[in-house]
Amino acid sequence: QVQLVESGGGLVQAGGSLRLSCAASGRTFSRYAMGWFRQAPGKEREFVTAISSWSAGSILYAASVKGRFTISRDNAKNTVYLQMNSLKPEDTAVYYCAAAASSDDLASINKYDYWGQGTQVTVSS
């Protein structure tokens, strides 16, 4: 069982930055691939970025955030981070982190086994 707790959300002006954190319980964090998804009001949850397990040899980004967002992980701290720069109003959403036992097809929401409760990010214009 893995429990995930996100933090770091808030209100920021367009062009600003935020860093989200996702702290995981358990001693097997490094075995899990980690992803970030987001869900805006009235829309489906969508993939943002993901990082493979262990040494994080593989990283994926959605086209909409590539070049602005950066995912990283610290296995010693059981934490995955999402650095968000150059934020836009369309980035406004609840952001969720998730853990997957497999590093295959990490853009697929169905691959994830555990989810956090989400943290709100609001970008004002």
Side-chain angles (χ1 to χ4, degrees):
Q1 188 77 7
V2 176
Q3 292 184 324
L4 304 172
V5 179
E6 302 97 335
S7 61
L11 173 64
V12 64
Q13 288 187 333
S17 298
L18 281 175
R19 188 175 84 152
L20 305 184
S21 300
C22 174
S25 65
R27 291 176 286 182
T28 59
F29 172 76
S30 58
R31 299 179 184 178
Y32 287 88
M34 300 298 297
W36 286 96
F37 288 75
R38 66 187 181 186
Q39 188 166 18
K43 295 187 177 181
E44 293 187 351
R45 193 171 298 188
E46 65 175 6
F47 171 75
V48 176
T49 180
I51 188 168
S52 60
S53 58
W54 298 105
S55 60
S58 178
I59 293 177
L60 299 175
Y61 292 101
S64 59
V65 306
K66 198 168 187 178
R68 301 187 297 122
F69 290 12
T70 303
I71 189 172
S72 61
R73 67 187 298 158
D74 186 335
N75 290 334
K77 295 183 178 180
N78 280 15
T79 301
V80 62
Y81 302 98
L82 179 62
Q83 178 66 44
M84 304 186 294
N85 298 330
S86 302
L87 283 161
K88 304 175 181 180
E90 51 263 44
D91 294 319
T92 295
V94 177
Y95 283 71
Y96 299 89
C97 75
S102 168
S103 289
D104 296 329
D105 195 17
L106 290 176
S108 173
I109 194 170
N110 296 322
K111 297 297 291 188
Y112 290 84
D113 305 290
Y114 303 101
W115 291 84
Q117 83 289 348
T119 186
Q120 177 70 47
V121 171
T122 302
V123 184
S124 63
S125 57

